[in-house]
Amino acid sequence: MREWKLSEVRYSLVSRRSYEVAVLPIGATEPHGLHMAYGTDNFEVESLADLACDKAHASGAKVILLPTIPYGVDTNQMAFPLAMNVNPSTLSALITDIVRSLERHGVPKMVLLNGHGGNNFNPLLRELYGRTSVFITWVDAWRIAESARQTIFEHPGDHADEMETSWMLHLRPDLVTMAECDDGAVNTPRLTAMREGWAWFVRPWERLTKNSGVGDPRNATAEKGKQFLTESAERLAEFIKELSDADMDGAFPY
């Protein structure tokens, strides 16, 4: 039993504890190129949450890790068979109910740990601001150690790339088939503003990509994945500990 993980812990222990921070990992179920599993985002985000919460708990943080939500916003991947979409409003409603549960149980702080690029929680946090006593922050798992990401990987991409493939080679090599990797090349928007990135649009994934991958994964290694996961977990653990220790006075978080 990992006593910081809600899915494993017993009532006899929970009933005697108080918690300052709840961590909620959120992933997706979708294709990851030809070479990786549909559950890649879930395996990755939960592995990061496990390692970070373990480290934070060991340093004295009052943290509880909630079960991972395995579905995300995939409206633009529905052309691929068995991509599972949860609309933003549906995902927000689910998270809101979880926030209300934490509020009822006296947990004052929450970290949404996002493992899927299609998820965005800014509107939800704005909507809940002032309507719940729970302080909520959200973190993209792959951005925690951004400088390490740029250093470790030769071909940073967007989806099923060298970073994600390395992560999975370290975590679940049985779910990676390197012989099926392609170069992860993508098509370029024909409109200048979209190419330059200041006009945003929902990218139709089947038109953007060859086989759902964005970025060349062929230089991935398990060693790179371990290094990236470790550095990300250490930084996240420090944040969780700091958040756990923080006094929620009238000036918090300033």
Side-chain angles (χ1 to χ4, degrees):
M1 179 191 71
R2 292 171 286 185
E3 56 187 69
W4 41 264
K5 190 160 187 171
L6 185 58
S7 61
E8 297 182 5
V9 77
R10 299 186 302 276
Y11 170 58
S12 59
L13 187 136
V14 172
S15 62
R16 302 194 306 269
R17 292 280 176 87
S18 62
Y19 301 98
E20 280 289 320
V21 180
V23 177
L24 176 62
I26 305 161
T29 300
E30 62 185 10
H32 275 72
L34 296 174
H35 63 290
M36 287 201 297
Y38 270 58
T40 291
D41 286 346
N42 303 320
F43 290 118
E44 290 171 348
V45 75
E46 187 160 349
S47 70
L48 173 59
D50 280 342
L51 190 53
C53 287
D54 189 16
K55 291 176 179 291
H57 175 78
S59 69
K62 296 180 178 179
V63 61
I64 190 72
L65 175 59
L66 306 180
T68 301
I69 296 175
Y71 301 110
V73 178
D74 268 292
T75 54
N76 60 334
Q77 289 217 35
M78 295 306 288
F80 296 110
L82 292 182
M84 295 289 115
N85 173 59
V86 175
N87 286 330
S89 55
T90 305
L91 187 56
S92 292
L94 175 58
I95 294 171
T96 297
D97 283 351
I98 294 171
V99 170
R100 298 301 182 203
S101 296
L102 294 175
E103 188 176 50
R104 174 71 179 268
H105 299 307
V107 180
K109 304 156 191 168
M110 181 183 198
V111 177
L112 302 179
L113 182 59
N114 179 40
H116 170 57
N119 297 334
N120 184 303
F121 301 109
N122 285 1
L124 173 62
L125 267 61
R126 291 184 183 279
E127 186 171 328
L128 288 175
Y129 184 78
R131 300 181 183 182
T132 177
S133 62
V134 179
F135 174 80
I136 311 168
T137 180
W138 76 282
V139 174
D140 279 329
W142 62 92
R143 291 194 173 124
I144 296 169
E146 182 62 29
S147 59
R149 181 185 176 203
Q150 296 299 326
T151 300
I152 295 168
F153 304 111
E154 300 170 54
H155 302 290
D158 196 344
H159 185 70
D161 61 345
E162 183 183 350
M163 181 271 289
E164 282 204 278
T165 304
S166 294
W167 197 336
M168 286 296 285
L169 283 171
H170 165 61
L171 194 66
R172 290 294 304 271
D174 57 308
L175 298 180
V176 183
T177 305
M178 292 299 292
E180 294 190 357
C181 291
D182 62 32
D183 61 5
V186 296
N187 295 315
T188 303
R190 66 182 68 175
L191 304 181
T192 302
M194 293 178 180
R195 289 198 304 272
E196 293 178 351
W198 53 271
W200 187 87
F201 65 106
V202 176
R203 295 179 294 177
W205 219 251
E206 76 282 4
R207 299 178 211 167
L208 171 70
T209 69
K210 293 179 182 179
N211 296 299
S212 81
V214 179
D216 192 336
R218 292 174 293 182
N219 287 338
T221 68
E223 291 74 21
K224 292 177 182 178
K226 181 179 180 180
Q227 183 182 352
F228 183 67
L229 173 57
T230 300
E231 294 197 28
S232 298
E234 287 174 353
R235 295 200 69 190
L236 180 58
E238 290 170 1
F239 173 58
I240 292 170
K241 177 63 165 65
E242 191 176 10
L243 184 60
S244 175
D245 291 347
D247 182 10
M248 284 185 63
D249 56 23
F252 180 82
Y254 300 100

